[in-house]
């Protein structure tokens, strides 16, 4: 059942890049390259699906599989909630050898029962992992029976790790929302100023840097899919007038299908950097006006952009002179590999290289457009190679996730966390100022002067011409 579904998701007509391919290439999909052994550790399809849906804060997220699958992804991302915390509770059916022999359906039903009785969540998402998929557990039937018995929506997410990449998991998660959630409820009221944000996960609270801008314009986020999301809001998402896909090719299929089913137009945009943020607000406003909002929205949007750009430019002034010309090596993946580049360019920085791990072909093309032929665009950079580049002084700072921080620290190079574990939000006009301030603080940290000085024993060795005894 998964194969035709995956093929369909990769043959996405809403994807600009896909439209330019031949029919044969389209069928192959953008992430359909065969995975190398061990690649699932970098994010399997289950991981991708969980990442995409777990930010729905008032829902329980139950992983049906051996406990290690849940351990793989639980709580490693700083996607924040402004209210409920049930999404943060790690839940798994913890399948054992006996369940492999006898089947895990009863255990799954019991687990859903316990969750509903104990936490009373708005819904339960059930993630099917490799083991129950291989032994043939009918999770869909169990979810349907449990939903009826416990009067709570129970959503099956059929994205076992072996199905493919993390990117495919994101897509399958979007499909689960379409199949089981969106359109299943009605909002109390709808207005011509209602939008959905798709693919914004509220990492470190980035949604909260965007929401106040929209509030000032009178634009309502009907559903955030899925950062700081609420199940009922997403169930009502089909009443929005416009969908914005936030830096996420993986979720474009969801937006395209909402257009086909409910007639909601969509566009893709980003909130990283001043220009991207202003472009996104302009586009939102123009599309809402076309969808029935008052024409004065455009004027108010321009006014807000002018004020905010002016404010951001003044706040960035002290950083611009200090950061101008500083060289960055970006080692991230997915959409951040390109969306961060334009934000760094606005700070006057030079991006000497970026990685395209887990990026789709569309992400890669955007990077090539932004960086031209000169900068390094790499897939995986082995630690040894990264060490060599940093040691040779090819970059002033490494911006990456926590796993590579020690390569930077060993070469005495400043490092900034820009992955999902980060503590600081970088979206919108305030976010770019925060990003500049964090980069500046890392570059200017007095520790670099100290650690780059020769050690006392090296000085002694140089003075005496002998090694220290
Ligand atoms: S779903 Fe499969 S590939 Fe993913 S963590 Fe679990 S066992 Fe590993």
């Amino acid at each position: 059942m998964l194969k035709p579904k995956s093929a369909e998701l990769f043959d996405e007509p809403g994807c600009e890049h896909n439209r330019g391919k031949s029919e044969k290439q389209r069928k192959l999909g953008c992430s359909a390259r065969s995975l190398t052994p061990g690649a699932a550790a970098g994010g399997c399809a289950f991981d991708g699906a969980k990442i995409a849906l777990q930010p729905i804060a008032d829902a329980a997220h139950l992983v049906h599989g051996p406990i290690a699958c849940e351990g793989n992804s639980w709580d490693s991302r700083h996607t924040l909630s402004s209210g409920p915390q049930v999404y943060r509770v790690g839940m798994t059916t913890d399948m054992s050898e006996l369940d492999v022999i006898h089947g895990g359906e009863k255990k799954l039903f019991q687990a859903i029962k316990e969750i509903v009785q104990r936490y009373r969540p708005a819904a339960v998402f059930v993630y099917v992992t490799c083991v129950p998929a291989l032994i043939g557990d009918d999770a869909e039937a169990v979810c349907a029976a449990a939903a009826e018995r416990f009067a709570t929506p129970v959503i099956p997410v059929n994205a076992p790790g072996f199905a493919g990449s993390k990117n495919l998991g994101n897509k399958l998660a979007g499909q689960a929302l379409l199949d089981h959630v969106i359109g299943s409820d009605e909002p109390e009221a709808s207005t011509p100023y209602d939008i959905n944000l798709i693919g914004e996960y509220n990492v470190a609270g980035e949604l909260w840097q965007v929401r106040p801008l929209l509030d000032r314009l009178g634009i309502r986020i009907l559903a955030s899919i899925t950062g700081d999301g609420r199940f009922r809001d997403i169930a009502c998402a089909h009443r929005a007038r416009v969908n914005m896909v936030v830096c996420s090719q993986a979720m474009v299929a969801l937006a395209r299908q909402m257009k086909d089913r409910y007639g909601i137009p969509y566009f893709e945009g980003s909130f990283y950097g001043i220009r991207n943020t202003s472009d996104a607000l302009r586009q939102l406003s123009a599309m809402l006006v076309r969808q029935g909002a008052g024409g004065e929205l455009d004027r108010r949007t321009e006014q807000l952009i002018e004020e905010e750009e002016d404010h951001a430019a003044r706040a960035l002034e002290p950083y611009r002179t200090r950061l101008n010309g500083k060289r960055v090596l970006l080692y991230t993946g997915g959409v951040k590999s390109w969306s961060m580049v334009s934000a760094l360019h606005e700070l006057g920085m030079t991006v000497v290289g970026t990685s395209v791990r887990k990026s789709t072909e569309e992400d890669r093309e955007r990077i090539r457009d932004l960086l031209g032929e000169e900068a390094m665009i790499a897939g995986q950079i082995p630690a040894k190679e990264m060490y060599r580049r940093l040691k040779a002084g090819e970059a002033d700072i490494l911006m990456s996730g926590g796993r590579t921080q020690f390569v930077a620290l060993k070469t005495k190079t400043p490092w900034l966390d820009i992955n999902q574990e980060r503590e600081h939000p970088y979206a919108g006009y305030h976010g770019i100022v925060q990003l500049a301030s964090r980069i500046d603080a890392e570059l200017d940290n007095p520790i670099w002067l100290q650690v780059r000085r020769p050690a006392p024993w090296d000085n002694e060795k140089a003075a005496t011409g002998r090694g220290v005894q």
Side-chain angles (χ1 to χ4, degrees):
M1 277 168 70
L2 261 172
K3 254 197 167 172
K5 203 172 214 180
S6 310
E8 207 176 290
L9 283 170
F10 278 133
D11 190 12
E12 174 50 53
C15 167
E16 219 172 88
H17 181 77
N18 226 10
R19 283 199 296 266
K21 289 179 179 172
S22 69
E23 200 180 332
K24 194 176 166 201
Q25 282 173 321
R26 265 205 308 276
K27 282 195 175 131
L28 281 174
C30 46
S31 296
R33 288 170 213 90
S34 47
L35 298 174
T36 46
C44 62
F46 150 69
D47 197 26
K50 183 112 185 296
I51 283 166
L53 298 176
Q54 187 160 8
I56 302 174
D58 57 353
H61 298 270
L62 170 63
V63 177
H64 184 36
I67 198 165
C69 297
E70 170 63 334
N72 183 34
S73 63
W74 176 66
D75 214 22
S76 65
R77 299 165 69 85
H78 279 161
T79 56
L80 304 182
S81 162
S82 56
Q85 293 296 319
V86 64
Y87 75 119
R88 279 238 178 265
V89 181
M91 298 174 183
T92 172
T93 48
D94 186 17
M95 290 180 78
S96 66
E97 289 91 336
L98 276 180
D99 300 314
V100 173
I101 297 161
H102 298 294
E105 292 171 359
K106 278 189 188 149
K107 202 169 191 180
L108 175 60
F109 190 84
Q110 284 305 318
I112 297 169
K113 182 180 172 190
E114 192 182 328
I115 289 167
V116 172
Q117 288 175 348
R118 194 160 160 192
Y119 296 99
R120 303 271 166 220
V124 182
F125 283 86
V126 172
Y127 300 85
V128 178
T129 62
C130 293
V131 171
L134 285 169
I135 63 172
D137 275 3
D138 190 348
E140 297 220 357
V142 176
C143 289
E148 200 181 330
R149 173 78 72 87
F150 308 122
T152 301
V154 183
I155 316 300
V157 185
N158 194 15
F162 63 72
S165 64
K166 191 170 177 176
N167 184 278
L168 173 64
N170 292 159
K171 290 173 196 277
L172 289 166
Q175 197 60 41
L177 290 181
L178 264 172
D179 292 347
H180 301 282
V181 186
I182 294 169
S184 64
D185 208 340
E186 289 297 333
E188 273 154 29
S190 70
T191 78
Y193 297 87
D194 291 351
I195 63 158
N196 298 318
L197 291 182
I198 299 177
E200 160 55 59
Y201 300 114
N202 200 30
V203 172
E206 286 185 340
L207 176 71
W208 302 331
Q209 291 179 316
V210 174
R211 195 186 279 276
L213 298 171
L214 300 175
D215 285 348
R216 276 169 61 193
L217 294 173
I219 296 174
R220 177 170 76 151
I221 302 174
L222 189 61
S224 171
I225 303 175
T226 57
D228 197 13
R230 300 293 183 273
F231 184 80
R232 188 168 179 277
D233 293 348
I234 297 171
C236 301
H238 61 299
R239 294 298 178 203
R241 301 298 170 100
V242 171
N243 276 336
M244 175 176 170
V245 184
V246 185
C247 316
S248 177
Q249 278 293 326
M251 280 287 189
V252 82
L254 174 62
R256 198 266 308 160
Q257 290 190 66
M258 285 180 80
K259 184 173 180 232
D260 292 350
R261 275 190 207 180
Y262 307 112
I264 307 172
Y266 69 91
F267 74 101
E268 294 166 55
S270 162
F271 289 116
Y272 289 131
I274 294 175
R275 201 178 50 204
N276 284 344
T277 305
S278 299
D279 285 351
L281 293 177
R282 275 196 187 101
Q283 184 118 2
L284 267 177
S285 159
M287 287 176 79
L288 281 170
V289 170
R290 281 203 292 279
Q291 289 289 96
E296 92 297 342
L297 181 60
D298 282 338
R299 185 188 48 76
R300 284 191 287 119
T301 304
E302 286 306 325
Q303 197 179 335
L304 178 137
I305 288 172
E306 200 183 316
E307 280 169 26
E308 289 293 328
E309 285 193 352
D310 186 51
H311 191 262
R314 271 185 285 123
L316 282 176
E317 210 41 58
Y319 299 113
R320 274 219 178 92
T321 30
R322 292 149 73 109
L323 299 183
N324 191 32
K326 294 275 191 248
R327 297 154 309 155
V328 186
L329 176 60
L330 263 183
Y331 191 61
T332 175
V335 293
K336 275 200 301 302
S337 45
W338 65 264
S339 54
M340 268 286 164
V341 172
S342 53
L344 293 167
H345 281 170
E346 282 175 359
L347 299 177
M349 302 185 78
T350 306
V351 179
V352 294
T354 185
S355 66
V356 287
R357 293 171 309 146
K358 301 170 205 161
S359 301
T360 61
E361 199 45 53
E362 295 78 28
D363 297 330
R364 288 163 207 247
E365 232 168 58
R366 281 178 161 144
I367 295 164
R368 281 192 282 269
D369 286 350
L370 281 165
L371 292 182
E373 297 304 317
E374 273 159 42
M376 177 193 62
I377 299 173
Q380 200 86 15
I381 307 179
K384 213 171 162 185
E385 169 65 10
M386 190 183 286
Y387 180 86
R388 190 196 61 74
R389 284 178 178 276
L390 294 175
K391 190 81 182 161
E394 289 181 19
D396 298 302
I397 186 166
L398 173 70
M399 291 171 62
S400 69
R403 266 183 286 184
T404 39
Q405 69 171 303
F406 298 104
V407 182
L409 300 182
K410 272 185 175 176
T411 59
K412 301 167 189 171
T413 305
W415 170 79
L416 184 69
D417 191 348
I418 50 154
N419 272 8
Q420 62 273 8
E421 304 93 357
R422 68 182 183 274
E423 304 277 353
H424 302 276
Y426 300 135
Y429 301 106
H430 288 289
I432 182 88
V433 179
Q434 190 143 21
L435 178 66
S437 126
R438 295 303 313 156
I439 296 173
D440 185 47
E442 291 303 331
L443 287 169
D444 204 36
N445 192 324
I447 192 70
W448 304 120
L449 269 182
Q450 291 180 38
V451 296
R452 284 170 185 164
R453 261 191 229 133
W457 50 86
D458 287 338
N459 278 339
E460 194 173 325
K461 196 171 155 186
T464 61
R466 285 187 293 121
V468 179
Q469 300 302 308

